[in-house]
Structures are given as structure tokens and as C-alpha cells.
Amino acid sequence: MSFAQLGLSEALLKAVTEQGYTEPTPIQQRAIPIILQGKDVLAGAQTGTGKTASFTLPLLQLLSDSDVIHQKPRRVRALILTPTRELAMQVHENVSIYGKHLPLHTEVVVGGASIKMQTRNLKHGCDIVVATPGRLIDHVQQKNVSLAHVDILVLDEADRMLDMGFLPSIRQIMAYLPKQRQSLLFSATVSNGIKALAAQLLNKPVEIEVARQNATADTVTERVYGIPRERKRELLSYLIGSNNWKQVLVFVRTKHGADRLEKQLIQDGIRSAALHGDKSQGARTKALESFKDGKVTVLVATDIAARGLDIDSLPHVINYDLPQVPEDYVHRIGRTGRAGASGEALSLVSPEEAQLLADIEKLLQRQITRVADTGYEPVSLRVQDAPKKAAPSKPAGKKDFRHKPKAPIGRDPRAKGPRGDAKTGRRTGGRV
Ligand code: AMP
């Protein structure tokens, strides 16, 4: 099937061709015609499936087909809500790329960036707003923007919005919108919470599911390394150094953990940057840009900060800590193997994390392949063998005292020994 068969206009077909897309992805094939018909949609699609284009392309077409396209001042006719600033910026970039041959104007409205500039731009008028909920509410309350003429609403990564506690904000925003509108809800996982939200927001939605719920992309090779906790950093440096990996996204659980690992990797001679919610927007953008440009090899990120990252053909994702919420495993893995490219997702799992691993495998309904010989002393990842004090199962949001002042963790990988050298990648024991 071609994009032309989906009923897209010449201006959009041109933009898509310029992007080098030859055929629509499954979510695009299914969602675009339905959205063009003006219907509400509930779509279960994870990142990497081409979901952003699947709502952006028809949205742009519907807006540009409408009679009010030349109305001045411009009124906001489409609103795209996202859980994080990074995702908002990513979606904004997509809207700009696909809409570059159309006379539509888009603004992005996120926290952590100058409100003055946003106010000026919003007052100037725009057709599309891409926003995170909190900052958008500020602007509406300050009367910098009106949402009374929104024809199309998109909630992107709605499951993450619920996880992040945005439900009250979403409800508040709904009160600013006209009742008569087209609403599209995209979510990686379709939980009962999402179904309840859909029942409130959507009108007779067409349900589309492209990947099996909670499935990870087939193009991703997943493996688990059973490893003592204090050896993780050493193994990580070794894997990156010995394989000469150029772009590696490493997930950790806490902001503090991200900063610490960034420093340790730099000590190991690996160019690294950390991305987490305590960093200013400027620092986050800089870290991301350096990673995209190849100036740093490793981006150490927390789940929330990494949400919405779209880096073309990101080849390696490493779970340095397993996530507390099993669904986050699916989201993390979604960072690689995007749009058909192959990727590798490795999890460094200590015995203390056996229960978290079991929860993930229960969700996936399959076992993740274990690396038989990690080059380190073998450890058991069976729940019954886990140390009694299963420290990682602390509630999210509490301070992490576990690794307190015992720096540096693990053996210095630069010290040559039986297990090899992280910088040169030479190794004498074990097989990866
Ligand atoms: P998304 O799921 O929206 O995060 O998209 C994942 C990646 O797929 C992005 O880098 C898009 O640029 C890319 N993409 C979207 N649609 C297509 C397509 N039809 N063919 C090839 N790549 C695509």
C-alpha cells in the first residue's frame, strides 16, 4: 500500500517522500483513513511504530482542507497533549516536517522554557498547539490562548500521562474545549485506566491495535545478563568499550543514579551525559543534542526523561536498573528497533532484582534470553534465591539510600585483570 492510496494530499505526499518513507507503517495504514473520515480513535501503538505520523498527517490534512485556513488571526484548531517536554518537542518537529508545504502554524508550549516567548507566539495566533498539560493550563488561565475552537484533540502516550498523575489536568483542559470535536487517544498500553479515560473523552471510537498489547518490537534482540550489583558498572563499560558501541541509551531508576553513573563512565573514558527531570530544559536539550550528534556515546536517563526520545535507528538500549513498573520495560525497549530497524536491548540484572524481572516476564508472557556466560561469577535470578532484603522494591519517588557513599562502585575497569580492559575492549575471561 502507498501513502497516496490513503487519501493524503499532494503537499503531504511530497513531505513524506522527502522524508524517504516509501510505504505507510501498519498503524499509519489503519489510522490515517479513519481519522480522515473524522472519527474518534483509540489506538494501542508503542513508540517506534510510526504512530506520530499516523495522527499528524491526517490532522494536517483536515486542518488544511477546512474553510477557515485563511482566517486571521489564526485560532487554535488542533491540540496535541503529551506527557513530557521532550515528546512535545519531538511531535512539534514532526508536525513541522510533515506540514512544511502547508500554510499552517504550530506552537509548542512546555514547562521549563521561557513563558514570555510562548505568550508572545500564542498571542500572535497559531493553528496547532503541542503542549504538556501544566504549562498549557497556565496559558489558558492567563488568557494567552483560547481552546474554544479546537476541532481535533490528540492525547499522545496517554498511559504515561496517567502514570505521571496528569488525569486532573486532562480533565481541566477538557473543560476548555468544545464538546463537538474529534478526539484521538494514542497509548502504548491499553490498560483499564486508559479504557476509562477513553470512555470519558471519545465518542464511539474506532479501536486500533497494531502490536500485541505489551509486546516489544520483533526487531529488538533482548538479553539478560545476571550480574552482581556491584559489578554492573564494570560490565557496562566493558560492553561499550569492547564492542565499540557509538550510541547507547542507558536506563537507571533515579536521578541521583543517573548523575553518578554519568560521572563513573566519564572516569572510565566513555563520553557520557545524563538526562533527568532535575536538569534545566537547556541542559536536557544540550544532553540530547550531544547524544544525537554523536558527541557523547552514552546517554544515561531516567524513564520519565527518556519518554518521547526519538533518535533515528538507536542501536543499543541498556537497562542498568530494571524498572519498578513492568510496563516501563516495554517503553524503554521501544527506544530501539524503531520503524523496522534492528536494535539490541540488554538488561543487567542483579539477584536483588529477580522479582522485578519475573514481573516483566509475566507481562511479556515469555522469558527473556539469559546470557549463559557473562564473564563474571554466575548469579541466580530466581525469585526464591533473591536476597531477603529486596531493596529495589521500594515505592517510587522515595529517596534511594541503597548505594550511599560507597564510591566508586565495583572494580575500576581500567585496572587490567582477568576480565579485561574497558577502554581497549580486550578481555581474557568469559564470552559475551
Ligand atoms: P514514532 O512511532 O512516531 O515515534 O516513529 C518512529 C520513527 O519512524 C520516526 O523516526 C519516524 O520518522 C519513522 N517513520 C514514521 N513513519 C515511517 C514510514 N512510513 N517509513 C519509515 N519510517 C517512518
Side-chain angles (χ1 to χ4, degrees), residues 3 16 19-28 45-57 87 90-91 94 97-98 156-157 308-313 334-335 337-340:
F3 277 101
V16 161
Q19 274 305 99
Y21 303 167
T22 48
E23 63 173 321
T25 65
I27 182 77
Q28 291 162 0
Q46 60 189 89
T47 28
T49 53
K51 69 176 172 66
T52 316
S54 79
F55 62 76
T56 307
L57 289 168
L87 182 59
Q90 194 73 56
V91 171
N94 276 252
I97 290 171
Y98 302 135
D156 194 11
E157 304 206 349
L309 287 186
D310 177 24
I311 297 147
D312 284 342
S313 65
R335 311 286 118 195
R338 317 195 105 194

Side-chain angles (χ1 to χ4, degrees), residues 228-239:
R229 196 163 66 193
E230 61 281 5
R231 284 289 175 94
K232 282 190 180 185
R233 168 214 178 177
E234 189 182 337
L235 175 60
L236 177 64
S237 292
Y238 172 77
L239 286 171

Side-chain angles (χ1 to χ4, degrees), residues 145-161:
V145 66
S146 162
L147 302 179
H149 302 282
V150 168
D151 292 325
I152 308 173
L153 166 74
V154 183
L155 256 68
D156 194 11
E157 304 206 349
D159 48 350
R160 179 53 53 142
M161 288 210 216

Side-chain angles (χ1 to χ4, degrees), residues 89-331:
M89 306 230 268
Q90 194 73 56
V91 171
H92 178 238
E93 199 179 309
N94 276 252
V95 174
S96 308
I97 290 171
Y98 302 135
K100 68 178 173 190
H101 303 299
L102 293 171
L104 294 168
H105 192 77
T106 309
E107 284 300 334
V108 65
V109 160
V110 293
S114 156
I115 195 158
K116 253 191 180 164
M117 184 96 97
Q118 290 174 2
T119 303
R120 205 186 59 201
N121 293 345
L122 285 173
K123 287 196 164 164
H124 202 68
C126 60
D127 305 283
I128 303 166
V129 167
V130 186
T132 49
R135 181 57 69 88
L136 180 68
I137 291 172
D138 289 349
H139 281 295
V140 175
Q141 286 177 340
Q142 291 175 27
K143 304 217 181 318
N144 299 334
V145 66
S146 162
L147 302 179
H149 302 282
V150 168
D151 292 325
I152 308 173
L153 166 74
V154 183
L155 256 68
D156 194 11
E157 304 206 349
D159 48 350
R160 179 53 53 142
M161 288 210 216
L162 296 189
D163 289 351
M164 290 171 70
F166 281 137
L167 189 56
S169 304
I170 295 173
R171 290 218 176 98
Q172 195 174 343
I173 292 169
M174 290 314 120
Y176 302 137
L177 300 175
K179 295 246 164 334
Q180 274 288 338
R181 57 164 200 263
Q182 184 178 10
S183 304
L184 316 171
L185 194 152
F186 280 73
S187 184
T189 49
V190 183
S191 61
N192 288 339
I194 290 295
K195 286 188 186 143
L197 182 66
Q200 290 170 35
L201 296 190
L202 308 181
N203 178 22
K204 297 195 199 114
V206 178
E207 292 188 28
I208 304 173
E209 184 103 36
V210 285
R212 186 168 58 84
Q213 199 181 325
N214 297 329
T216 48
D218 290 342
T219 47
V220 180
T221 309
E222 293 162 79
R223 273 179 292 161
V224 161
Y225 284 75
I227 179 93
R229 196 163 66 193
E230 61 281 5
R231 284 289 175 94
K232 282 190 180 185
R233 168 214 178 177
E234 189 182 337
L235 175 60
L236 177 64
S237 292
Y238 172 77
L239 286 171
I240 296 167
S242 62
N243 292 298
N244 201 16
W245 286 339
K246 298 283 181 241
Q247 206 179 32
V248 188
L249 179 60
V250 176
F251 281 99
V252 292
R253 224 158 24 83
T254 64
K255 299 167 188 171
H256 176 61
D259 284 335
R260 185 179 47 214
L261 187 60
E262 176 200 20
K263 286 198 189 86
Q264 291 171 338
L265 290 172
I266 291 170
Q267 279 170 20
D268 289 349
I270 296 168
R271 285 169 298 147
S272 307
L275 187 76
H276 58 67
D278 275 359
K279 299 224 165 201
S280 68
Q281 188 55 41
R284 287 161 72 162
T285 307
K286 187 165 168 250
L288 191 55
E289 286 308 314
S290 308
F291 185 58
K292 282 187 175 180
D293 298 348
K295 289 193 193 109
V296 300
T297 306
V298 176
L299 190 65
V300 186
T302 56
D303 286 290
I304 288 179
R307 199 70 186 159
L309 287 186
D310 177 24
I311 297 147
D312 284 342
S313 65
L314 180 60
H316 306 288
V317 167
I318 297 188
N319 294 310
Y320 190 79
D321 299 317
L322 282 186
Q324 297 288 301
V325 183
E327 282 80 6
D328 279 343
Y329 179 84
V330 181
H331 292 304

Side-chain angles (χ1 to χ4, degrees), residues 231 234-235 237-239 241-242 375-376 411-430:
R231 284 289 175 94
E234 189 182 337
L235 175 60
S237 292
Y238 172 77
L239 286 171
S242 62
Y376 293 86
R411 192 182 66 151
D412 183 346
R414 290 165 298 177
K416 296 204 174 52
R419 297 299 179 196
D421 181 315
K423 265 188 184 166
T424 62
R426 275 197 300 277
R427 181 178 222 215
T428 49

